[in-house]
Amino acid sequence: MTITPPALSVFETLESEVRSYCRGWPAVFDRAQGARLTDEDGHSYLDFFAGAGSLNYGHNNPVLKRALIDYIERDGITHGLDMATTAKRAFLDTFQNVVLRPRDLPYKVMFPGPTGTNAVESALKLARKVKGRESVVSFTNAFHGMSLGSLAVTGNAFKRAGAGIPLVHGTPMPFDNYFDGQVPDFLWFERLLEDQGSGLNKPAAVIVETVQGEGGINVARAEWLRALQDLCHRQDMLLIVDDIQMGCGRTGGFFSFEEAGITPDIVTLSKSISGYGLPMALCLFKGELDVWEPGEHNGTFRGNNPAFVTAAAALDAYWADGHMEKQTLARGEQVEQTMLAICGEHESARFRGRGLVWGLEFDDPTRASAVCARAFQLGLLLETSGPQSEVVKLLPPLTITREELDEGLRTLARAVRETA
């Protein structure tokens, strides 16, 4: 299949230069269902992007669509601020019964603004309020959002530069395996904490991704995460897990930290929590941390009731039993086998990942972009990640069929061969 880029006209003449994803995928998309999108010329694309992880259950999932249409047709509340509504109650009940109680998680639920960076901002504010300190530690190659507080704990130099002002009160530490196993875990971090002359202000919290998505699919080991939690407890710091992209089943369990057996003090969720791509975010925290004054953190669109409807439907449909987790892990094994074959054929390639998030990296950092460009020509949507866009990132819907996944993996392998 050869795809001719369309005349984008109004997108190029009227829309800002800040747009990005559309530059790698020069098509005008019109419809989508499951793991496929169709452009206005009728070309079909297999989606290994899934709305940057916002569409874990695929495009226009029929179960969620039916719940949403029924709600809209009965004139259910659309915009509710933080008012009590039947849709919010149904979501909270479902979230408590399907997610929190089975995992024995002691969290209160906060609805910040509806995006991931809103959730992170609220987590940082709460941690500072609870501990009465300003400093927050993050990790190399972290990404936590594009607003100022989130950028201060983000590692990417390009994104940080966009702030236009100094980003303060954030201190980076080495992520797992940053020194290729040559330095003991947390040696530098703990030495700074214990040395009164180090210049490191006592942190209120540490924020971490268990798998760094935008940072290059860097996977933290379970033992590293457990050691981090232990360090936070010993040093009186709160542990924040940013599960915005890796939560809602992306790595297998509903939360990405379940495998490590830890219980973070604060957890942020967004992206696929609504299940349908509708804006929604949560900040979860242990009950004793609920020190907010009414209205101290709010937002006009934190009461997106249609998102509550699809979120509850997604939890009921996919998380009331253990099937989704088992299927995701099985699909992950399918991806891993293809990655092994690709890397066996191409010595310059290596891979890493968990569940249904995987990264393919090459010695030549420009190769990833070439692979993604060729994949698009062949009808497969892939994006890059990493500080130099040096990693091909695989993020298919969790509901993708085995046959669709195999088709996409064959296309990936072909794109790698044809860009060698």
Side-chain angles (χ1 to χ4, degrees):
M1 176 174 67
T2 301
I3 296 168
T4 303
L8 297 179
S9 59
V10 71
F11 303 108
E12 294 177 336
T13 59
L14 187 61
E15 193 178 1
S16 166
E17 292 297 319
V18 78
R19 65 194 189 281
S20 59
Y21 295 115
C22 59
R23 298 180 188 276
W25 303 325
V28 179
F29 297 103
D30 182 49
R31 292 174 292 113
Q33 211 289 314
R36 296 185 186 274
L37 292 91
T38 305
D39 69 19
E40 62 181 353
D41 296 321
H43 298 124
S44 177
Y45 302 80
L46 196 54
D47 186 6
F48 273 27
F49 177 64
S54 296
L55 296 166
N56 281 1
Y57 313 106
H59 296 268
N60 289 303
N61 181 288
V63 175
L64 312 189
K65 180 167 63 176
R66 184 71 265 157
L68 179 60
I69 290 172
D70 289 348
Y71 184 76
I72 292 171
E73 286 187 337
R74 74 167 184 81
D75 290 332
I77 298 292
T78 295
H79 180 273
L81 294 162
D82 67 0
M83 295 183 292
T85 65
T86 55
K88 181 193 281 190
R89 181 175 59 201
F91 167 73
L92 287 171
D93 284 341
T94 304
F95 191 71
Q96 180 171 246
N97 293 329
V98 174
V99 176
L100 297 182
R101 280 181 178 159
R103 293 162 180 82
D104 197 26
L105 293 171
Y107 295 139
K108 297 288 288 292
V109 178
M110 173 183 177
F111 298 96
T115 70
T117 199
N118 293 145
V120 170
E121 294 284 356
S122 64
L124 298 176
K125 286 171 66 173
L126 180 60
R128 287 168 170 142
K129 181 178 175 65
V130 168
K131 292 299 182 183
R133 308 178 206 132
E134 298 174 344
S135 176
V136 173
V137 165
S138 58
F139 291 95
T140 50
N141 291 311
F143 178 78
H144 296 291
M146 297 297 281
S147 51
L148 292 181
S150 300
L151 278 176
V153 290
T154 286
N156 187 285
F158 173 75
K159 292 179 171 63
R160 288 175 63 87
I165 61 171
L167 297 171
V168 297
H169 307 308
T171 303
M173 290 292 165
F175 191 72
D176 191 15
N177 205 37
Y178 188 72
F179 294 111
D180 300 319
Q182 298 179 30
V183 178
D185 297 338
F186 308 115
L187 175 65
W188 174 242
F189 190 3
E190 194 148 20
R191 183 72 58 84
L192 290 178
L193 288 170
E194 294 175 351
D195 183 359
Q196 295 299 307
S198 70
L200 175 65
N201 293 330
K202 181 78 171 184
V206 175
I207 185 167
V208 67
E209 302 154 275
T210 67
V211 180
Q212 294 182 326
E214 300 305 311
I217 318 301
N218 306 311
V219 182
R221 294 166 297 139
E223 56 267 34
W224 187 86
L225 292 168
R226 288 191 290 269
L228 176 60
Q229 177 176 259
D230 181 63
L231 175 62
C232 288
H233 288 170
R234 286 188 285 106
Q235 296 288 346
D236 188 33
M237 302 179 296
L238 297 179
L239 176 60
I240 304 169
V241 167
D242 180 340
D243 233 4
I244 288 164
Q245 188 168 85
M246 298 304 154
C248 302
R250 177 55 56 180
T251 64
F254 186 84
F255 295 105
S256 70
F257 55 81
E258 290 181 45
E259 180 191 53
I262 63 173
T263 304
D265 299 293
I266 303 175
V267 180
T268 59
L269 289 175
S270 185
K271 291 194 181 287
S272 274
I273 186 59
S274 82
Y276 203 75
L278 300 175
M280 180 178 171
L282 302 178
C283 184
L284 312 175
F285 41 82
K286 294 179 178 178
E288 64 269 23
L289 304 180
D290 193 9
V291 297
W292 292 113
E293 296 291 334
E296 192 172 8
H297 185 92
N298 58 24
T300 303
F301 293 102
R302 66 195 184 281
N304 185 356
N305 281 250
F308 299 158
V309 170
T310 55
L315 295 178
D316 275 332
Y318 295 102
W319 293 99
D321 57 30
H323 177 71
M324 176 57 71
E325 181 173 354
K326 293 176 182 176
Q327 176 176 292
T328 298
L329 295 175
R331 298 286 189 271
E333 291 175 1
Q334 189 178 347
V335 176
E336 186 172 12
Q337 291 306 308
T338 296
M339 290 295 205
L340 284 167
I342 290 174
C343 292
E345 184 179 341
H346 303 271
E347 293 183 359
S348 65
R350 54 202 164 274
F351 71 94
R352 50 191 177 265
R354 276 179 61 196
L356 273 177
V357 53
W358 294 84
L360 182 63
E361 186 176 11
F362 303 91
D363 290 342
D364 177 1
T366 66
R367 181 87 175 277
S369 293
V371 169
C372 290
R374 181 57 182 146
F376 172 77
Q377 294 172 345
L378 297 171
L380 175 66
L381 300 185
L382 291 168
E383 71 159 335
T384 61
S385 69
Q388 297 178 284
S389 298
E390 74 276 19
V391 178
V392 176
K393 181 180 183 181
L394 280 68
L395 210 68
L398 306 184
T399 51
I400 193 168
T401 66
R402 180 174 291 277
E403 293 73 24
E404 288 170 329
L405 185 58
D406 186 58
E407 176 190 338
L409 293 171
R410 288 197 308 270
T411 302
L412 169 64
R414 178 180 170 185
V416 173
R417 284 193 300 272
E418 294 182 359
T419 55

